[in-house]
Amino acid sequence: MDTLEKEDLARYNRQIILPELGITGQEKLKGAKVLVIGAGGLGCPALQYLVGAGVGFIGIVEDDVVELSNLHRQVLYGIADIGRSKALAASEKLSLLNPLIQIISYQQRLVPENAEMLFSGYDLVLDGSDNFETRFLVNDTCVLLNMPFVFGAVFRFDGQVSVFNYEGGPVYRDVFPEAPSEDQRPNCEDSGVLGMLPGVIGSYMAAEAIKMITGIGTPLSGRLLVIDLLDNSSQVFMIAGANPDLKKDKEKSGTEEAYAINLEQFKRLSDLHAQRVCVIDVREVYEFEELPTLALNIPLYELLTAQLPLDKILVFICQSGSRSRMAVQVLKGHYKGEMYSLGTLLFK
């Protein structure tokens, strides 16, 4: 553990006086090594707060350059940085913020050929990437190296944060088993994003990293935090399989949860209660429009605020079954009727 110097004590005073953190926590931060994937909308605020908090060694993986359209949300940069490497520009700005830490810039794209080499030697990873291929690569590399990582994503007014592969907890593929096709993916370039949203989510990501490094609080492992800035709502969803009590119940019974049904069981249920069965596709609107089903579409994150039919038997479906299982978990305690997770789209 790195010993704090006089300048450390002065700089981090307001943090050190927190009884939960103290000198010991600050020393852990000074000795920590964090790799940040992407120095864009999420990476910029996360990097600023990690550097400000005194994380001793930070790596930045980014191959892009600063563009004018970045500046409304990537406030680490300015007009003079347009055309410059984000990795280099970020490193320079962050060093001015806190010269006590070490920063290394990797001006390259994260690909399977360099992922293991880049990750080696770091304690944890913050994934600020904006595409599924990189997110899966981050997940798979962290699983391979047994490293935890913080996930963040933004789209329009909505943001998501979670912690994966932490102390035996769920991994990214437990929530997103496979990437949607190219024409089904959300795209901020086409759909837009509120400028301060990445600042909010990036700050949460930095907080999760600091909690894991210092051992304070409860990291978002097994939970997905969803924030909507348009109506100031926030919800925390349990990730299917992450509840240890539920896992114990499954081990005792030797069967899947009572709410998980297969296609044959669904057909039998429909035959017995044809007028009462309500099938709900919990994918996002853009996914539903691309591959419509003969079902009602209510995205997973809108279930708690949606007007659900009280006299129906709800059967949730999605592309892979992950979100349909989460739907039942989300509504437990809120919906008194029967609910089932089918885990297939039924009608393609």
Side-chain angles (χ1 to χ4, degrees):
M1 190 179 298
D2 290 25
T3 303
L4 300 182
E5 304 294 336
K6 182 178 180 180
E7 189 174 349
D8 293 315
L9 295 173
R11 177 180 285 268
Y12 309 121
N13 173 264
R14 298 298 187 274
Q15 202 164 260
I16 292 172
I17 61 176
L18 292 169
E20 295 84 355
L21 197 136
I23 292 289
T24 300
Q26 194 62 53
E27 288 176 338
K28 289 178 180 179
L29 289 173
K30 186 174 183 178
K33 295 183 178 181
V34 176
L35 184 67
V36 178
I37 308 301
L42 294 172
C44 282
L47 283 164
Q48 287 172 284
Y49 279 108
L50 290 175
V51 167
V55 172
F57 192 99
I58 292 177
I60 305 171
V61 180
E62 177 62 81
D63 70 333
D64 203 2
V65 298
V66 180
E67 299 179 3
L68 180 62
S69 62
N70 299 151
L71 302 185
H72 91 290
R73 65 195 183 281
Q74 299 175 27
V75 295
L76 183 59
Y77 311 118
I79 290 291
D81 296 311
I82 293 176
R84 297 187 64 207
S85 160
K86 286 184 180 180
L88 284 180
S91 179
E92 290 177 7
K93 302 287 180 69
L94 295 168
S95 294
L96 291 174
L97 172 62
N98 190 349
L100 301 181
I101 66 170
Q102 299 180 62
I103 303 174
I104 183 169
S105 299
Y106 304 97
Q107 298 177 66
Q108 52 190 291
R109 187 174 186 81
L110 183 68
V111 293
E113 290 75 19
N114 64 18
E116 188 173 349
M117 178 273 293
L118 289 172
F119 284 35
S120 297
Y122 286 93
D123 301 313
L124 62 89
V125 173
L126 266 71
D127 181 14
S129 62
D130 60 359
N131 63 87
F132 285 95
E133 287 77 12
T134 303
R135 291 168 185 163
F136 283 125
L137 179 56
V138 169
N139 176 83
D140 296 348
T141 306
C142 284
V143 170
L144 176 67
L145 299 177
N146 194 29
M147 296 172 62
F149 71 98
V150 184
F151 158 78
V154 293
F155 180 67
R156 290 172 55 80
F157 303 98
D158 299 330
Q160 304 172 6
V161 188
S162 190
V163 169
F164 292 114
N165 202 44
Y166 177 69
E167 296 184 346
V171 301
Y172 181 76
R173 289 185 182 272
D174 289 330
V175 182
F176 304 97
E178 57 186 24
S181 61
E182 288 287 346
D183 58 351
Q184 294 178 339
R185 303 181 185 191
N187 188 327
C188 290
E189 187 173 335
D190 296 329
S191 302
V193 60
L194 188 66
M196 56 288 301
L197 175 64
V200 173
I201 300 303
S203 298
Y204 265 99
M205 294 173 70
E208 290 303 303
I210 290 171
K211 284 156 59 179
M212 285 189 284
I213 292 168
T214 60
I216 66 173
T218 305
L220 279 168
S221 177
R223 297 175 294 156
L224 182 69
L225 170 64
V226 180
I227 298 173
D228 183 346
L229 288 190
L230 204 56
D231 61 9
N232 287 319
S233 64
S234 64
Q235 301 176 54
V236 177
F237 298 97
M238 291 298 299
I239 295 174
N243 188 324
D245 295 329
L246 180 61
K247 187 174 182 180
K248 288 178 184 177
D249 290 342
K250 287 175 63 178
E251 290 173 350
K252 287 178 183 178
S253 65
T255 61
E256 292 295 322
E257 300 95 319
Y259 61 77
I261 60 176
N262 56 35
L263 191 56
E264 182 179 342
Q265 290 170 317
F266 169 75
K267 290 178 178 177
R268 188 159 58 245
L269 186 69
S270 298
D271 290 340
L272 291 172
H273 308 282
Q275 302 303 314
R276 292 187 59 215
V277 173
C278 177
V279 179
I280 300 178
D281 188 329
V282 293
R283 293 175 300 153
E284 297 298 313
V285 173
Y286 69 90
E287 297 175 278
F288 183 78
E289 291 175 345
E290 291 293 337
L291 188 60
T293 66
L294 300 179
L296 179 65
N297 178 220
I298 304 177
L300 176 64
Y301 308 128
E302 297 179 10
L303 282 175
L304 285 177
T305 57
Q307 293 294 321
L308 298 173
L310 299 178
D311 59 340
K312 299 291 186 180
I313 299 172
L314 305 186
V315 178
F316 299 106
I317 62 173
C318 66
Q319 183 78 40
S320 65
S322 178
R323 280 175 283 183
S324 63
R325 291 192 297 271
M326 287 180 67
V328 177
Q329 292 292 329
V330 166
L331 288 177
K332 277 186 175 180
H334 296 275
Y335 188 78
K336 303 304 180 183
E338 290 184 64
M339 296 184 292
Y340 298 98
S341 165
L342 179 56
T344 177
L345 287 180
L346 282 178
F347 322 103
K348 298 183 180 181

